[in-house]
Amino acid sequence: MKKLRIDETLYIKTPGFLSEQRIRKGPVAIIECTQDIPCNPCETICPRKAIKIGLPITNPPEIDEAKCSGCGLCVLWCPGLAIFVLNYNFDKIRASLTIPYEMLPLPGKNEKIKCLDRNGKYVCKGKIEKVTPPKKNSRTSLITFSFQKKYFNTVRGFKK
Ligand code: SF4
Ligand code: SF4
């Protein structure tokens, strides 16, 4: 059976898509929620009111990129695992991505990884920078990993 590929241009058309200018400023939420589903925890949890869904609740989330601080709260609360925090300025040559992670065992800090694109295809080498285990009554961890800056809009996951 032919493997279904994710159409990367879908994200560009959503109101959650950010300008490259904002991305270059530092940590910010990347929302890749492309389906019209009845869901809005991201809107209600954001302490800065940076995400707007409104009514009907099936509206796609819209982000006010000037308000977002990249705190990552919405990443933990999104049931669709559709939000990430991208830090373009992790250091001079690397960006970092903080993603929700629900698999076990958790990776370890400094572990070398293979960074993948939205279709699970290998992009580049990376490194685990931070592991935040699940809070009580949750199974979602937050994993921050770094990779070459030039792949900031391509890397969306990793393989151990
Ligand atoms: S990262 Fe924080 S400030 Fe930005 S949209 Fe998510 S919850 Fe709001
Ligand atoms: S919480 Fe996640 S799945 Fe639900 S609307 Fe927000 S981004 Fe989409």
Side-chain angles (χ1 to χ4, degrees), residues 31 33 37 39-43 53 59 61 77-83:
I31 305 178
C33 178
I37 47 171
C39 181
N40 72 350
C42 56
E43 179 182 39
I53 290 177
N59 284 337
W77 280 75
C78 169
L81 310 180
I83 312 182

Side-chain angles (χ1 to χ4, degrees), residues 131-142:
V131 179
T132 308
K135 297 207 182 325
K136 210 176 164 190
N137 300 326
S138 168
R139 58 176 190 167
T140 308
S141 307
L142 287 181

Side-chain angles (χ1 to χ4, degrees), residues 22-92:
R22 172 62 187 88
I23 286 172
R24 284 176 185 272
K25 280 188 180 167
V28 69
I30 303 281
I31 305 178
E32 300 200 341
C33 178
T34 57
Q35 292 175 344
D36 298 337
I37 47 171
C39 181
N40 72 350
C42 56
E43 179 182 39
T44 54
I45 201 66
C46 177
R48 292 177 159 240
K49 308 273 178 244
I51 301 177
K52 187 180 163 200
I53 290 177
L55 293 173
I57 195 176
T58 50
N59 284 337
E62 183 176 350
I63 187 156
D64 183 333
E65 57 183 36
K67 286 184 182 170
C68 177
S69 66
C71 72
L73 207 51
C74 55
V75 178
L76 269 180
W77 280 75
C78 169
L81 310 180
I83 312 182
F84 320 96
V85 169
L86 175 66
N87 183 1
Y88 185 82
N89 299 321
F90 180 75
D91 65 19
K92 275 191 179 165

